[in-house]
Every structure is written in structure tokens, then in C-alpha cells.
Amino acid sequence: MSFIGGKLKLKGSSDLPGVKKKKKSKANKANERALAAKEEDVKKEGGEKARDKDAELMRELHGYELEQRDEEHDRRTEAEKKKEARMAKLEEERLRRFAEKSHRERINEFNTHLSTLSEHHDIPKVA
């Protein structure tokens, strides 16, 4: 067996002179600056101008922009709109119920549920 002892060589550790941490690229810094500038503009200016600047920023950074849905151009049927609204309401209700209990309360509730089950559901011991 060929085994070479010693500790692992991790990226960014100070004991190795040739290995350095990766630095953030300048493009990421430019994106961060652009997003920060956009947030400042949104605070200063109101709705329509901010939306135009947001679309312009998206076009600059990613090469495309998302289309905004207008009520007059919405091609969904009434049933589709109702379904989407109902699904959003159900999701909101589910999240609200989930947020009511802590993890500890959920675990205790699950344990009490398991204790009420009959022996039929127990995991058999393997010898």
C-alpha cells in the first residue's frame, strides 16, 4: 500500500507559499456597484423611472430584460388567474402555519404521534 502521510493541503492556508485564495473578479465588483447605484436611484426616484432603470441595468448586466405583464396584455383566462391567486393564498397559509411552530415543537409532536402508533409499526430488531 502506498500511503503518504501528512496533513491535508488546503487552499488559502498560510503555510504553503504557492497556493493563494481566489480573488473576486472585477466583473463581480462592477455588478455590485451597479446594483448599489440602482438601489440608491430607486430610493431617490419613484416607480416608473426606477422600473426603466431596472430594465436598463438588467440589459447591461445580463444581455436581456424581463417583460413586465400589463393587465391589458395578460392573456391568461379568468380560471388561470383565480387558480394562481388561490395557489398563492395556499402557499402563504402553508408558510404561516410552518412559521407558527419551532423545530423543537414539531419534533415533540412527531414523537407523540409515533408513541401513539401500535407495535405493528415498530421497526423489528435484527439479530
Side-chain angles (χ1 to χ4, degrees):
M1 214 191 256
S2 63
F3 175 73
I4 300 174
K7 64 180 185 177
L8 293 175
K9 298 176 182 178
L10 299 175
K11 195 180 223 183
S13 64
S14 60
D15 58 345
L16 298 176
V19 180
K20 296 181 181 177
K21 283 186 178 180
K22 245 185 178 179
K23 294 183 180 179
K24 284 188 177 181
S25 67
K26 292 181 181 180
N28 287 343
K29 290 180 183 178
N31 287 347
E32 289 174 6
R33 275 190 240 120
L35 290 174
K38 181 191 80 87
E39 289 173 1
E40 290 175 12
D41 289 343
V42 168
K43 289 178 184 176
K44 291 178 183 176
E45 298 175 357
E48 193 66 34
K49 289 181 182 178
R51 199 176 306 142
D52 290 341
K53 286 196 178 235
D54 190 29
E56 183 179 324
L57 180 66
M58 182 70 93
R59 205 175 316 116
E60 286 177 13
L61 293 177
H62 304 290
Y64 67 91
E65 66 180 275
L66 297 174
E67 293 181 21
Q68 300 293 328
R69 281 190 179 175
D70 294 334
E71 287 299 319
E72 60 193 39
H73 298 314
D74 193 8
R75 299 186 65 181
R76 295 177 298 164
T77 63
E78 288 298 318
E80 288 173 328
K81 291 176 187 177
K82 286 181 183 178
K83 179 185 177 192
E84 195 169 299
R86 187 175 68 244
M87 294 301 280
K89 186 177 178 182
L90 287 173
E91 178 72 14
E92 183 180 316
E93 180 64 29
R94 187 183 66 80
L95 290 174
R96 188 178 304 117
R97 270 188 277 124
F98 185 75
E100 284 177 356
K101 295 182 185 177
S102 69
H103 178 70
R104 181 175 296 214
E105 290 171 344
R106 273 189 230 100
I107 295 297
N108 288 336
E109 185 178 304
F110 182 66
N111 286 337
T112 56
H113 170 70
L114 289 178
S115 66
T116 60
L117 294 177
S118 66
E119 291 182 18
H120 173 73
H121 296 286
D122 285 348
I123 299 171
K125 291 184 180 178
V126 177

